[in-house]
Amino acid sequence: FEKTGADPHKTQLKTMIAPKDTNSQDEDSLSLIQEESSSNAALPTKGEEPPQTPVSILKRRTSSLQSDDSDDLESYRRAFPVRKTASFDDDNFDDEYERPLRPSITAGSDMNTSVHYRRGRRDYDFLMDTPDNMTYSRRLALYLMQYNWYYPMKTNMQSSENGDYESNDDLVSMDTASVLSFSLHKSTTFKKASLPKAWAYFDHVTLPRHIWNEKEEHNARQRRRSSCLPGDRKSLARTWKRLNHHRNVPLLRADPGEMHKYTKLYSPLWTPMAQMGDFGLGTGLYFTTLRALTVMTFILGLVNIPNMLYFSSEDYSDGQKGVSFFLKGSAICTRAAWVPCPDCRITDEWSDNMDRIANTTSTNGDLLIFALRNECDGARFELARINFVTILFLIAGLVALGSYQRRWERQFTEGKEKTHDYSIVIKNPPELASDPDEWKHYFESTFRAKVTLVTIGLNNDLLVRTLVQRREALRRLELALDPGISLDVLSLAKISSKIEHDRNSLQWLVHLFIPGIPELFARLTVLTARVQGLAQQTYQVRHVFITFEKVSTRIRILNEFALGNLAIMGWMKSATRGKQHLFFRGTPLKVRQPDEPATIRWQDLNTPLRVRVVELIFTNLIGLAGIALFAYLITITFEYNYLLGAGFIAVSNLGYAEFAKLITKLFESHFAEGDVQASIYVKVALFRFVNTAIIITIITPFTAQLEEDGLIPVVCAVFLAELITVNLARLSDPVGHFKRHILAPRARTQDAMNVNMRGTPVELAERVTDSTKMIFLTFWYSAIFPAGFFLCSLVLIVKYYTDQFGLMRTWKRVLPVGNRIANFGRRYFISTSVVAFATISSYAWSGFPYDNLCDNEGRVDTSYVGNWTLKTGETGEEVDAMVSESDSSFRYCLQNLILVSGPSFPAIPENQPLGDEWMTSDQEKIATIFGWTSVACIAFVGFTIVWKWSDAVAELFYQKTEASEKVATTKRTFHQVMDQSSISTYIPEVKSGLFPYPLVACNTDGIDDEIYTWTDADQPHSYYDLTKDAKFLTEGRVGLDMSNVFSSHKHYHPDDSILPPRQGEEDGKSDGYDSNNDFVRTNPRKEGSVTHGRNDNQNDPEYEAFLKGNENQAVGFQDYAGRLKGETPSAVKAAPLHHRRGWTINEDDADGEENAQDGFDPLRDLRKSLSQRLPTISPSARKLLNEKG
């Protein structure tokens, strides 16, 4: 195609035909075949003649040539090699999904025209999707794009076709792999943007899809039809099961942009829970936890039905007449009376709620003071007993929740191995150990561990961040300039100077905050200079990621290197005594299991600990300031109207989450996305706990908690706002629709369109806190608002389906953060909610009747006897009061134990103010039980948290070993997993908001395409290579070695090994693992002898004799090699000897002489090991080392 200039998408070839020879005859033949096949777009239906595909054309032409000239036939076969799997006439397919599909075609549509072949495989053209395989937004956009007001770029595209712009085939006048790197000296002319391609990107790359299995779908459809036949007498349960049979059909998630297999969108309603793990372990656990909490709160609501019935009965508050439906069954008290309170002071004691104090004047001119007393009996032992049982159910439910999450975690991960299951990370490698082959040799020769991938991470974080910022500045310039503008320095300087010269004062003010072309050009110049300086530095190795071929190998290596941090730092030498095989270049290695590759933040990987601590302190202080500001605003809004305040709480919960994500990503450096999510979780959860529950309690007067317009209506309004306002905002997705329907049709490049089609960014931590917040709110007010359990369950189930719809229709792809957020939330914040439940319940039961009045236990003064018309203290409203001679007078007494002087925790009767006791006998029992229960809950939760923190202390002395149970369930090798599914690898990648695909921070020239989990249909992977930017900007610099500037990544195929097969493997006596997963080594020197355990030579007398007689000579070799590298003798003496581990390198030595028949030559092995570990010494020194020792 490069020779002929043909476009496979235009010619609709059914098979990729790549000529090896480029003579004119072959070109003419290819053109002829293209012409003959161009009209054959559709696949045949049943009973029709097969179409004229390129394969059938070749068969027909070659069969006719066979009788004429066999040489011509042979030349055709050499020129046009056709893969058999690409032929429609061949029934031998690699797998079920490679078979040509024949989906149903609606009238007037030609779905099969979407099938074409590229690189010898069948591809689906996403532009030819049928409507039933599109989102509704895409259907609407394709209809509206015929109007210029919706798609104004359509006019520009038509003008470009008339010659105003360059044609699509002639635009790229340089190496497309370096278009951004070299664009300072090129033009802003880029390929035409296509809105249909952008919507295809949204449907096939942004949104998750699954492989369409026609056979399974057909069987499920037949079962559904058979279950609905008339006269079917099967039970309703069985019919429902058959109707939902399609939910049990296993779905295989497709890779982003999968074009070789027919895919469909996931269903937002009918995707089963078992498939939610396809979107990542963290996402699957979020939805399972949300469902479990929904069921749990509903059950707790059923437990609290007796309390709701009592609160709404005649015995409590006259049936709560006039109370709204949602408030029925709460502790709202409508039975209240005005009572004499001669000692009450209006301005001091009742200043927070003046409507509960009133006064009048007696006939003789005396001031009579009255107070409003609640006559509802809410502190009954039967009610508190139900609430206490709720706490016990909750604790049991949280224990069951942990087991439930672990069960789903096993189900989600079973048979779905990830790269980190096969990988380790070395966190303290030698600074100069940057050769991947050296690490491969060390693990294969020392541990007989098959290495598949090696990634060397350097401490070049600043350089990587600067290169990303430069690319972003360059991209903004490209989008700001008109097509055809040259991007060389002089042209940009001229344009910038002219713009600055023509600016007025207002424009200068605007561009102080919104950068224009002059500001972008200035920033680009500065960033270019920084890159040129940083690229000339030499960087050290900080992390080494190694991926093995088997999970069992990774577990074995981690157990071998189970050293504590003190031993690694050299403070516990007894832990490393006799374990020289754990040393690499004299350093005991710190080996751990890494995070998932997609979550590694390569631009922040090497930030020092002190810097990260300062950043965390800074951002958390900003977060606390934000909490205080929003609390003040909530207080102001509640002064106007509590409904307005509830709405503001819902909106502020959304706004602060975005603010927390912004400051976290701007000012914090983290190793992995899991750390970012944890930081966001803490900030957002703390804000939402305070903003949603605690602040309402603070700003509501204590005596207003049981009023009809007091605390409980506010809490109910918050529930309804979360149920309606928040979910409507998430379902409507206004920001996402604005980008897709307003910004994307007006973008001038395909990349800019695709960036607007990447979906709404959602952080999993923020979604988890949204559900945790509702749990906290429910528990906080459960004693006085038990109906909150049902409202919480309703809110959670709506959030479940809302988030499931967002995940499959609007969200940007969620990063696989693992189980960290689920465990973090259950361990800290849900347990904190339990503590809040027990503690606040104790204060709630102790506060009844919430009127701050105590009986004086004496008759009322005669001046109060009679009927009175009172005026309240704040509004002046007139109320009626009647006092008889048998009534008692009351005094003010503070019933809020939180505010009493002296000890206020726990909420037990002994902490009542002396002389102002108000609790009844039942109430004292309740307070005692709940008060000490809250202490026990705090102690238990605190103990579990400290116990988890103790693991960090234990890591100073040892590392936990991993059981080998998982080995039996993970028999697939890493390459088998790569062939069967798409998994990410440890390629240094940095995500940017201006690019649809990540930028690569290592050289992409030697990396296979199969290693990537993403593919740009328009650009190769080298287009996103940041190393090419640095190489271009430092071009002409003599002696600059980019291998010491950027991280490196190397892939070893299964056949690649520096260790050839040992003697005896040909006879079936190879080393490996037995049925018990124990390592088995066949000794080539003693036929038939097999040793189990670690592969060393502890029981080899010949080897022990060699070590005893040649120890000094071996150390002398190391001292000599160390002097060649400039190392101190003491450092070299501490280095391990590879041959001590016992795996001799069975290969020819440097002199070309054959090995001994038994393969045992430790001296030669030492020389080879040293020579391979010293790649930087001179050739003469290497020759001396090999020849003279």
Side-chain angles (χ1 to χ4, degrees), residues 1132-1144:
V1132 177
K1133 287 181 180 179
L1137 300 179
H1138 283 254
H1139 69 280
R1140 288 193 181 188
R1141 190 60 180 154
W1143 284 109
T1144 54

Side-chain angles (χ1 to χ4, degrees), residues 666-720:
L666 281 180
F667 302 111
E668 291 184 8
S669 302
H670 295 281
F671 293 155
E673 287 295 335
D675 301 325
V676 177
Q677 297 297 314
S679 180
I680 294 175
Y681 189 101
V682 172
K683 296 182 183 67
V684 178
L686 181 61
F687 172 82
R688 287 177 170 174
F689 283 9
V690 174
N691 183 57
T692 307
I694 300 176
I695 191 63
I696 300 176
T697 302
I698 295 175
I699 65 178
T700 304
F702 177 78
T703 55
Q705 295 198 21
L706 302 186
E707 294 181 354
E708 289 187 61
D709 56 350
L711 176 66
I712 297 177
V714 173
V715 176
C716 183
V718 172
F719 274 109
L720 296 179

Side-chain angles (χ1 to χ4, degrees), residues 476 480 503 510-521 523:
R476 289 189 175 96
R503 278 181 180 174
V510 170
H511 289 294
L512 288 176
F513 305 96
I514 303 176
I517 292 179
E519 289 77 17
L520 291 174
F521 174 65
R523 178 166 177 76

Side-chain angles (χ1 to χ4, degrees), residues 465 601 604 615 618-619 659-670 676:
R465 288 196 297 267
R601 295 173 57 87
D604 299 326
E615 291 172 346
F618 175 71
T619 54
F659 172 73
K661 290 187 285 188
L662 179 64
I663 61 175
T664 300
K665 294 185 177 181
L666 281 180
F667 302 111
E668 291 184 8
S669 302
H670 295 281
V676 177

Side-chain angles (χ1 to χ4, degrees), residues 456-639:
I456 308 295
L458 307 182
N459 59 342
N460 59 350
D461 299 2
L462 182 58
L463 173 61
V464 172
R465 288 196 297 267
T466 306
L467 284 167
V468 173
Q469 293 169 4
R470 180 183 175 275
R471 282 256 187 153
E472 292 175 341
L474 194 56
R475 173 53 58 89
R476 289 189 175 96
L477 268 176
E478 290 181 337
L479 297 177
L481 294 171
D482 294 329
I485 300 297
S486 176
L487 285 178
D488 62 274
V489 177
L490 292 178
S491 299
L492 291 177
K494 179 181 178 180
I495 296 173
S496 300
S497 301
K498 186 178 185 305
I499 293 176
E500 287 185 304
H501 182 269
D502 297 338
R503 278 181 180 174
N504 54 35
S505 301
L506 180 60
Q507 290 174 336
W508 277 105
L509 181 61
V510 170
H511 289 294
L512 288 176
F513 305 96
I514 303 176
I517 292 179
E519 289 77 17
L520 291 174
F521 174 65
R523 178 166 177 76
L524 181 62
T525 304
V526 173
L527 293 173
T528 300
R530 290 183 64 185
V531 170
Q532 290 173 338
L534 292 171
Q536 299 180 56
Q537 308 300 318
T538 300
Y539 299 95
Q540 291 77 37
V541 180
R542 286 291 181 267
H543 294 82
V544 177
F545 296 87
I546 298 178
T547 303
F548 300 103
E549 190 66 12
K550 295 182 179 180
V551 175
S552 59
T553 304
R554 191 263 306 170
I555 296 176
R556 179 165 56 90
I557 295 297
L558 283 179
N559 292 340
E560 286 276 1
F561 286 91
L563 299 176
N565 293 331
L566 294 179
I568 294 173
M569 292 184 291
W571 294 355
M572 290 181 60
K573 295 185 178 180
S574 60
T576 58
R577 187 176 298 118
K579 298 181 179 179
Q580 294 300 316
H581 58 281
L582 304 182
F583 286 74
F584 183 85
R585 288 193 180 183
T587 302
L589 298 180
K590 182 178 181 180
V591 180
R592 301 291 184 264
Q593 185 177 8
D595 293 300
E596 189 63 21
T599 65
I600 300 295
R601 295 173 57 87
W602 295 93
Q603 69 273 28
D604 299 326
L605 191 60
N606 303 288
T607 305
L609 177 62
R610 63 181 182 277
V611 176
R612 290 189 288 118
V613 171
V614 172
E615 291 172 346
L616 285 173
I617 294 174
F618 175 71
T619 54
N620 281 282
L621 289 176
I622 295 178
L624 292 175
I627 292 175
L629 175 62
F630 277 97
Y632 175 73
L633 296 176
I634 290 172
T635 304
I636 294 177
T637 55
F638 269 100
E639 291 179 357

Side-chain angles (χ1 to χ4, degrees), residues 1037-1112:
R1037 185 72 180 180
V1038 180
L1040 187 61
D1041 185 9
M1042 284 295 171
S1043 62
N1044 297 325
V1045 177
F1046 289 96
S1047 301
S1048 58
H1049 178 88
K1050 192 167 185 179
H1051 174 213
Y1052 299 93
H1053 291 276
D1055 297 334
D1056 298 340
S1057 177
I1058 60 174
L1059 293 177
R1062 293 173 51 86
Q1063 180 178 349
E1065 292 186 359
E1066 296 83 356
D1067 301 329
K1069 301 175 182 179
S1070 59
D1071 302 314
Y1073 296 88
D1074 59 12
S1075 59
N1076 297 324
N1077 291 315
D1078 292 332
F1079 189 85
V1080 179
R1081 177 174 65 84
T1082 303
N1083 193 329
R1085 298 181 302 280
K1086 299 179 180 180
E1087 185 176 357
S1089 63
V1090 177
T1091 59
H1092 290 259
R1094 296 185 305 178
N1095 46 335
D1096 50 29
N1097 289 300
Q1098 296 176 353
N1099 301 323
D1100 195 334
E1102 184 180 2
Y1103 183 75
E1104 295 294 337
F1106 167 78
L1107 290 182
K1108 185 176 180 180
N1110 297 277
E1111 180 71 19
N1112 295 332

